[in-house]
Amino acid sequence: MTERLPNSPSASTETAPSSQLATRVRNLLIVLVAVVLSVSVFLGLRTESGPATLTAIAEDSVPLEVALTNGKPTLMEFYANWCTSCQAMAPDIEALKEQYGDRINFVMLSVDNSKWLPEILSYRVDGIPHFVFLSQDGQAVAQAIGEQPRSIMEANLVALAAKEPLPYAQTTGQTSAFSAPVTSQGKL
């Protein structure tokens, strides 16, 4: 019988498949780790981060029921977490809240929460962010729709706290009920 030596061709062919298998397993593990890390980084970049997230601001906001009864004017924002304009304004809203929160209520109402449907209909929210400025007695005095520069929001809040007309908001007021006197035949 022939003796197998470590350098003989038959010995190297027996160890080659096991080393190839080990190399393949190692490469597979490297690929899996790379995929997991890539997905983690991708999802980490997509999630809201930092102190001024909409969710954090909403959790720290004054409940609507309290804001309507505590005698302070209120900035009510209708928002959604998926709204890019709302996300863009979040740091400014947070900074304004820190600056004026002792004088003005900041209320956040998510349009994705059906609980706020009566308010959404009442204030005719058809775009977000939608801001409603309420007087000390809870009456709407002005509204602003869409992304607003911080300076404009601040000027409106200063005026709201001082009980003055808001310089940069579409004012709203009390209205009367109206029914168009039209019949089904188009006659008056």
Side-chain angles (χ1 to χ4, degrees):
M1 297 208 136
T2 51
E3 219 174 285
R4 290 190 189 179
L5 298 173
N7 292 335
S8 70
S10 63
S12 65
T13 57
E14 287 177 8
T15 58
S18 64
S19 71
Q20 287 177 353
L21 180 61
T23 303
R24 286 183 180 177
V25 168
R26 181 189 56 147
N27 290 345
L28 178 62
L29 287 174
I30 290 171
V31 168
L32 289 175
V33 168
V35 168
V36 167
L37 288 175
S38 298
V39 168
S40 298
V41 167
F42 176 75
L43 292 176
L45 292 175
R46 289 191 57 210
T47 60
E48 295 177 307
S49 60
T53 64
L54 291 168
T55 303
I57 295 170
E59 288 173 357
D60 292 339
S61 72
V62 177
L64 180 61
E65 301 78 25
V66 172
L68 294 176
T69 59
N70 70 2
K72 292 185 343 186
T74 299
L75 171 64
M76 183 169 42
E77 178 183 354
F78 291 92
Y79 78 99
N81 286 327
W82 49 263
C83 168
T84 55
S85 293
C86 302
Q87 292 169 1
M89 288 192 67
D92 289 339
I93 296 298
E94 179 67 18
L96 292 169
K97 180 181 172 193
E98 288 176 18
Q99 188 172 358
Y100 296 99
D102 59 332
R103 294 173 273 169
I104 298 173
N105 298 311
F106 285 77
V107 175
M108 302 284 291
L109 304 179
S110 173
V111 296
D112 291 332
N113 186 342
S114 61
K115 172 183 179 180
W116 305 120
L117 185 58
E119 287 77 12
I120 291 168
L121 295 173
S122 175
Y123 295 106
R124 297 180 180 175
V125 176
D126 60 359
I128 53 174
H130 185 112
F131 301 95
V132 180
F133 299 88
L134 303 173
S135 65
Q136 290 81 353
D137 59 357
Q139 297 300 311
V141 295
Q143 297 187 28
I145 301 170
E147 199 169 331
Q148 306 289 315
R150 180 178 174 169
S151 59
I152 289 178
M153 290 297 291
E154 186 167 11
N156 283 338
L157 292 175
V158 167
L160 184 65
K163 300 178 185 177
E164 297 174 355
L166 278 60
Y168 298 106
Q170 175 186 352
T171 58
T172 58
Q174 189 173 357
T175 59
S176 298
F178 172 73
S179 294
V182 178
T183 63
S184 61
Q185 299 166 342
K187 296 179 183 177
L188 296 177

